[in-house]
Amino acid sequence: MALDNPTRETPVTTADKVFDSMLHAIVEGKIAAGSKISEPELAKQYEISRSTLREALNRLEKCHLIERKANVGSRVVECSIESLLEIYVVREALEGMACREAALNMTDDEIVDMKAMLDEHAKAQDLQDGVAYYQEEGDLDFHYKVILGSHNKQLINILCGQLYHLVRMYRLQFGMHSPRATRAFDEHYRIIEAISDRDGELAELLMRRHIVASCKNIKKKIAMQATESQA
Amino acid sequence: MALDNPTRETPVTTADKVFDSMLHAIVEGKIAAGSKISEPELAKQYEISRSTLREALNRLEKCHLIERKANVGSRVVECSIESLLEIYVVREALEGMACREAALNMTDDEIVDMKAMLDEHAKAQDLQDGVAYYQEEGDLDFHYKVILGSHNKQLINILCGQLYHLVRMYRLQFGMHSPRATRAFDEHYRIIEAISDRDGELAELLMRRHIVASCKNIKKKIAMQATESQA
DNA sequence: AATGATAAAATTGTCGACAATACTTTGAGC
DNA sequence: GCTCAAAGTATTGTCGACAATTTTATCATT
């Protein structure tokens, strides 16, 4: 599927498969955030040796999905609001820059491809029930393509390889299906226009605003949840 | 020393020590860039088992200092100019943002501390022979403190934990002691001022220009080297 | 009862050996 | 002489066992 990590091909080694499996489990919350990871237990569960499991754990650590302490063990990261805001700051900086670079480096073909994708999303959105789809897959697809369009391996690696799993984790666990669908779509459209005009400065500006808006939206939601739970 | 990774304490496990040792060896070029890493050979050299070595290799991979392919093995990264420019793009984005956040989040004490450091550097620079010192340690110290001042764990982790080893590697292997010492110092000073004024927008702008200037300087140098080798 | 030291259990770190995969060398066929 | 196939060699991936460390449980002391 389109959301898979473009950094790696197909999983070949068993550690790869276990990594993929655990990745989904953590992102979806089947392995609870903040919970301790018992190597003997998980190794038995996946029917592999501890060496192989530890290899998988190392990769999860690279995605910032687990944290390890020497001689103590691994824990799944906590999903705190502070940490989410920190991630948004990093995204604002990196995706903004990726967008600028995309305006400079994307091929004409890639831009055409992207416009086609947005048209698809527009259609799906017309059939109202597509909103949920757009929220999840569509939005991520858009951001992925911009990042890949930067043609900057470092950017791609950090954003697609590491950070996006965390972003997805927060989306799923905090249940973020915000009412920003149509608005976000407009923003996406304008970003593409800027890229199409090869206007890097504007593209960066728009992407940064797009992300800040999304972040503010989350803050608002969280504030609402807080007042609700008070009542 | 000040340049050590603020992310981790002291190395406790043997894998930690081997990681540190290999980190320095790679950064300094004692293990050549682009060279293949033989697990049996290195394990024998460090007098450890392959498991422990592989643990160290995993951490080096986290710093983007080596790359692994399944069933093939590890290589030290190549030091290409393209890759260096890519890193500068990431730095511009992330350190710019870190600087903005530092302006918002640094404590007054931290700012005082930083000004004191700059004064130290100014003195060292007066004693002309301190220039070389300033280039290496001083410059990195400055950038480190700004990054830490952001109080953003994600930023700190990516920049100090991963990217800076690469930056150091390029500095040493490309032999970058540029004639930007006094100029870079002025720029550092103005950045501190912006942070001190709590002007996040200006602080980000200045840091980005500072990094872009440094990048241009490198490009110029490389162009010069190219014409020299032609003659 | 609470605190602190000590012993037991469990977990992580490290090791050496085997299995699976990739690379090299050899030789056969054209 | 060159190309391709096959066997052999070397390297990486995986496994189970042991050592070192941490955590838990036990018990004596105040």
Side-chain angles (χ1 to χ4, degrees):
Chain A
M1 100 179 124
L3 289 178
D4 271 347
N5 188 344
T7 304
R8 179 161 51 77
E9 315 65 58
T10 46
V12 281
T13 175
T14 58
D16 280 328
K17 290 172 201 158
V18 173
F19 165 72
D20 281 3
S21 180
M22 289 189 71
L23 177 68
H24 283 98
I26 289 175
V27 167
E28 291 165 18
K30 296 190 176 180
I31 301 178
S35 64
K36 178 149 179 12
I37 287 179
S38 161
E39 292 184 8
E41 189 185 322
L42 271 179
K44 204 186 292 176
Q45 193 172 319
Y46 282 100
E47 294 178 322
I48 55 176
S49 82
R50 268 183 59 228
S51 317
T52 310
L53 177 71
R54 281 162 71 88
E55 181 70 35
L57 291 182
N58 265 315
R59 298 188 204 175
L60 290 171
E61 198 185 1
K62 269 176 229 163
C63 305
H64 305 254
L65 287 174
I66 69 170
E67 288 168 346
R68 286 176 71 189
K69 267 190 202 163
N71 287 316
V72 174
S74 315
R75 302 195 82 89
V76 180
V77 292
E78 294 276 1
C79 276
S80 71
I81 295 161
E82 298 79 37
S83 177
L84 177 60
L85 297 182
E86 286 185 353
I87 290 168
Y88 263 90
V89 168
V90 173
R91 281 189 64 193
E92 183 188 343
L94 284 183
E95 290 202 41
M97 180 59 84
C99 202
R100 170 187 288 258
E101 294 291 301
L104 305 179
N105 300 330
M106 257 181 142
T107 67
D108 292 337
D109 284 352
E110 283 175 314
I111 292 175
V112 168
D113 183 48
M114 228 173 145
K115 282 182 175 169
M117 185 188 73
L118 268 199
D119 287 343
E120 279 296 317
H121 291 169
K123 272 190 226 154
Q125 203 174 359
D126 285 344
L127 319 163
Q128 280 304 351
D129 57 349
V131 171
Y133 161 79
Y134 180 70
Q135 282 309 113
E136 294 303 324
E137 315 263 325
D139 185 56
L140 281 184
D141 263 0
F142 171 78
H143 286 269
Y144 254 76
K145 294 215 170 176
V146 171
I147 294 162
L148 293 177
S150 73
H151 293 200
N152 181 316
K153 281 176 202 161
Q154 294 284 337
L155 275 172
I156 293 168
N157 185 33
I158 295 176
L159 283 172
C160 298
Q162 307 179 22
L163 223 55
Y164 258 84
H165 302 295
L166 261 179
V167 171
R168 255 166 53 79
M169 180 172 174
Y170 274 100
R171 284 203 183 188
L172 287 176
Q173 306 220 356
F174 279 8
M176 295 175 187
H177 344 278
S178 66
R180 285 189 75 252
T182 65
R183 175 123 168 238
F185 180 80
D186 281 352
E187 289 169 5
H188 286 187
Y189 193 80
R190 281 180 197 150
I191 288 170
I192 291 266
E193 270 189 321
I195 290 176
S196 189
D197 291 343
R198 303 299 185 182
D199 187 341
E201 203 173 330
L202 180 62
E204 176 172 11
L205 184 77
L206 290 177
M207 179 59 93
R208 282 182 69 153
R209 282 195 190 169
H210 174 59
I211 290 170
V212 168
S214 168
C215 184
K216 277 187 183 163
N217 191 258
I218 286 163
K219 283 183 187 167
K220 200 166 65 184
K221 263 213 152 176
I222 288 166
M224 271 172 52
Q225 282 176 0
T227 53
E228 271 174 29
S229 65
Q230 254 183 349
Chain B
M1 99 179 127
L3 291 177
D4 271 348
N5 189 341
T7 305
R8 180 162 50 77
E9 315 65 55
T10 46
V12 280
T13 176
T14 57
D16 280 330
K17 291 172 200 160
V18 173
F19 165 72
D20 281 3
S21 181
M22 289 189 70
L23 177 67
H24 282 99
I26 289 175
V27 167
E28 291 165 17
K30 295 189 177 185
I31 300 178
S35 64
K36 176 149 179 16
I37 286 178
S38 162
E39 290 184 9
E41 190 185 319
L42 271 180
K44 204 186 292 176
Q45 194 172 318
Y46 283 100
E47 294 177 321
I48 55 174
S49 83
R50 269 183 57 226
S51 318
T52 310
L53 179 71
R54 282 163 70 88
E55 181 69 38
L57 291 182
N58 265 314
R59 298 189 203 176
L60 289 170
E61 197 185 1
K62 267 176 232 164
C63 305
H64 303 254
L65 288 175
I66 71 171
E67 289 167 346
R68 288 176 71 187
K69 265 189 205 161
N71 288 317
V72 173
S74 315
R75 302 196 83 87
V76 180
V77 293
E78 294 275 2
C79 275
S80 70
I81 295 161
E82 298 78 41
S83 176
L84 177 59
L85 297 183
E86 286 185 352
I87 291 168
Y88 264 90
V89 168
V90 174
R91 280 190 65 193
E92 184 189 341
L94 284 184
E95 290 202 39
M97 181 59 84
C99 202
R100 171 187 287 257
E101 293 292 301
L104 304 179
N105 300 330
M106 259 182 142
T107 66
D108 291 337
D109 284 352
E110 283 175 315
I111 293 176
V112 169
D113 183 48
M114 235 181 136
K115 282 183 176 168
M117 186 188 72
L118 269 199
D119 288 342
E120 280 295 319
H121 290 169
K123 273 192 225 157
Q125 204 173 356
D126 285 342
L127 320 163
Q128 280 304 352
D129 56 351
V131 171
Y133 159 77
Y134 179 70
Q135 282 309 112
E136 292 305 323
E137 314 263 326
D139 185 57
L140 282 184
D141 264 359
F142 171 77
H143 286 268
Y144 254 73
K145 293 213 172 177
V146 171
I147 294 162
L148 293 177
S150 74
H151 293 199
N152 181 317
K153 281 177 201 161
Q154 294 284 338
L155 276 172
I156 292 168
N157 185 32
I158 296 176
L159 283 172
C160 298
Q162 307 181 22
L163 222 56
Y164 257 85
H165 302 295
L166 261 180
V167 171
R168 255 164 56 77
M169 180 172 175
Y170 273 100
R171 286 203 182 189
L172 288 176
Q173 306 221 357
F174 279 7
M176 295 174 186
H177 342 278
S178 67
R180 286 189 74 252
T182 64
R183 175 123 168 239
F185 179 80
D186 281 352
E187 289 170 5
H188 285 186
Y189 193 81
R190 279 177 200 152
I191 289 171
I192 291 267
E193 269 189 322
I195 291 175
S196 190
D197 290 345
R198 305 298 186 181
D199 186 340
E201 203 174 331
L202 181 61
E204 175 172 12
L205 183 77
L206 290 177
M207 178 61 93
R208 282 183 69 153
R209 283 195 189 168
H210 174 58
I211 290 170
V212 168
S214 167
C215 185
K216 277 187 184 165
N217 190 258
I218 286 163
K219 282 183 190 167
K220 201 166 64 184
K221 264 213 150 179
I222 287 165
M224 272 172 52
Q225 284 176 359
T227 52
E228 273 173 29
S229 65
Q230 256 181 347

